[in-house]
Amino acid sequence: MKSAFTHTLKLASAASALALIAGAAQAASHEPVGACLITKTDTNPFFVKMKEGALKGAEENGIELQTFAGKIDGDVETQVAAVETCIASGAKGILITPSDSRALAPVIGQARDAGLLVIALDTPFEPADVADATFATDNFKAGELIGQWAAATIDDPANARIALLDLNPSEVSVDYLRDGGFLQGFGIDIKDPTDIGDEDDDRIIGHDVTNGNADGGRTAMENLMQIDPSVNVVYTINEPAAAGAYEALKSAGLEDQALIVSVDGGCPGVRDVAAGVIGATSMQFPLLMASKGIEAIAAFAADGSKPENSEGLDFFNTGVQLVTDQPVDGIESITSEEALELCWG
């Protein structure tokens, strides 16, 4: 009898243990998936909208999202620390706009080795396969559109005096792609497409950096006007830099002399197009980048699948649209009024 009782007790204990394990597994399967969004800053309207898209996507997909941002554009250390925090937290994926697409590669490798899906947003890594995927604007195309428009709009492109207001000294991919796209669109040989400033066209006054903000744009424009006050075409990396450049030109009484072009498509920038501050801008869609990124992390957590690139590209193209109130034949564009229905920020 004792032996039968002991056997029954062992069976009951084993069944209880299995039930506990099954219950724990079931509970684990219902635990929310963790993810992280790491942007360059949390002040630029572009990244504010990106965060909005990620938070909305996370809510819709049952994902617990942590958000991080650098103190300024180019703040690699803060982004590295954020990636390390995400790895330690057990997150399934990271969405990141890298401040330096080369310097961040080692820590991104650590994240992928730990089993996280890493998706670059807006700014590709170098090479692109440092991340599992990239969701971005075709930044070269964005630059090319405003370059083509500027060349078609200015009275005589052969007599252009061009100032280029770039991002930062690191020459990250988003920086040289937009810069090079603009120059090619304008009809200038860009030499090495990954090297900003190696052109030998005497229409170029020079390059300066802005850190992607209005103060930087103002200072960079002031510096370039000192080199040549006859500047009549100004390329800017983004619309905050364009706003700063315009203030510098206006202070010097040159606001009607220079045509400003930019990239972003934020609502403040679109209103600057309407006001004549910016002649044309290339609109991006940061909310779509972020929401698609969150969907990709959810799919990866569910079945291990990874996103695919757009055909013929090494990234998923989230689109670009030229915005101007001075349309040019042969270059598709929308008006500032139409763009206000699509803009962000």
Side-chain angles (χ1 to χ4, degrees):
M1 178 69 77
K2 181 178 179 182
S3 176
F5 175 77
T6 302
H7 178 66
T8 302
L9 185 61
K10 287 180 178 178
L11 287 174
S13 297
S16 297
L18 287 172
L20 286 170
I21 292 170
Q26 185 176 16
S29 70
H30 287 86
E31 288 180 2
V33 173
C36 296
L37 172 69
I38 306 170
T39 55
K40 294 178 184 178
T41 71
D42 59 6
T43 54
N44 187 314
F46 183 84
F47 301 123
V48 172
K49 180 56 66 171
M50 186 176 281
K51 181 177 177 179
E52 179 185 319
L55 288 169
K56 182 179 179 183
E59 182 179 358
E60 293 173 348
N61 287 277
I63 289 177
E64 286 190 351
L65 184 68
Q66 301 179 73
T67 63
F68 305 85
K71 298 179 181 68
I72 60 170
D73 202 313
D75 181 5
V76 174
E77 291 77 12
T78 298
Q79 289 200 322
V80 168
V83 173
E84 292 171 342
T85 298
C86 294
I87 296 171
S89 73
K92 290 296 292 183
I94 294 172
L95 306 177
I96 182 169
T97 59
S99 285
D100 189 316
S101 44
R102 304 179 191 93
L104 282 155
V107 76
I108 294 302
Q110 294 172 26
R112 294 182 68 186
D113 289 345
L116 282 75
L117 180 76
V118 179
I119 297 177
L121 302 181
D122 180 54
T123 304
F125 281 97
E126 297 178 71
D129 62 6
V130 166
D132 291 288
T134 302
F135 290 175
T137 306
D138 186 336
N139 282 296
F140 191 89
K141 181 66 174 178
E144 189 174 35
L145 284 170
I146 56 175
Q148 291 171 341
W149 180 87
T153 302
I154 191 173
D155 289 338
D156 184 2
N159 289 323
R161 305 299 296 151
I162 304 170
L164 294 106
L165 276 59
D166 299 302
L167 187 57
N168 60 45
S170 298
E171 295 189 23
V172 296
S173 53
V174 68
D175 202 3
Y176 65 67
L177 286 169
R178 293 181 188 179
D179 180 292
F182 165 79
L183 290 171
Q184 179 165 295
F186 200 87
I188 292 173
D189 183 1
I190 57 175
K191 307 297 183 184
D192 180 353
T194 67
D195 185 14
I196 292 175
D198 69 342
E199 317 86 21
D200 56 11
D201 194 301
D202 61 11
R203 290 175 291 179
I204 297 175
I205 293 170
H207 297 254
D208 207 336
V209 297
T210 66
N211 288 317
N213 60 53
D215 287 343
R218 185 181 300 107
T219 300
M221 191 71 254
E222 289 170 348
N223 293 340
L224 292 169
M225 283 191 297
Q226 289 179 12
I227 295 173
D228 189 340
S230 68
V231 54
N232 57 12
V233 177
V234 179
Y235 155 85
T236 64
I237 179 69
N238 64 11
E239 291 157 2
Y246 178 80
E247 289 303 317
L249 289 163
K250 186 176 181 180
S251 294
L254 302 178
E255 69 272 23
D256 294 329
Q257 172 180 292
L259 189 67
I260 300 176
V261 293
S262 196
V263 177
D264 257 351
C267 294
V270 171
R271 286 191 284 270
D272 278 346
V273 171
V277 171
I278 297 174
T281 191
S282 286
M283 176 178 279
Q284 314 183 81
F285 301 96
L287 191 149
L288 182 62
M289 294 178 199
S291 61
K292 287 291 185 184
I294 289 292
E295 289 173 11
I297 292 175
F300 176 73
D303 58 22
S305 61
K306 295 184 179 182
E308 297 183 359
N309 294 329
S310 298
E311 186 176 354
L313 300 172
D314 60 359
F315 62 95
F316 182 93
N317 185 4
T318 53
V320 62
Q321 177 68 65
L322 184 70
V323 178
T324 182
D325 289 333
Q326 303 173 61
V328 169
D329 288 343
I331 305 175
E332 183 180 346
S333 65
I334 60 174
T335 66
S336 60
E337 183 178 358
E338 292 171 309
L340 284 170
E341 300 295 323
L342 303 171
C343 66
W344 39 267

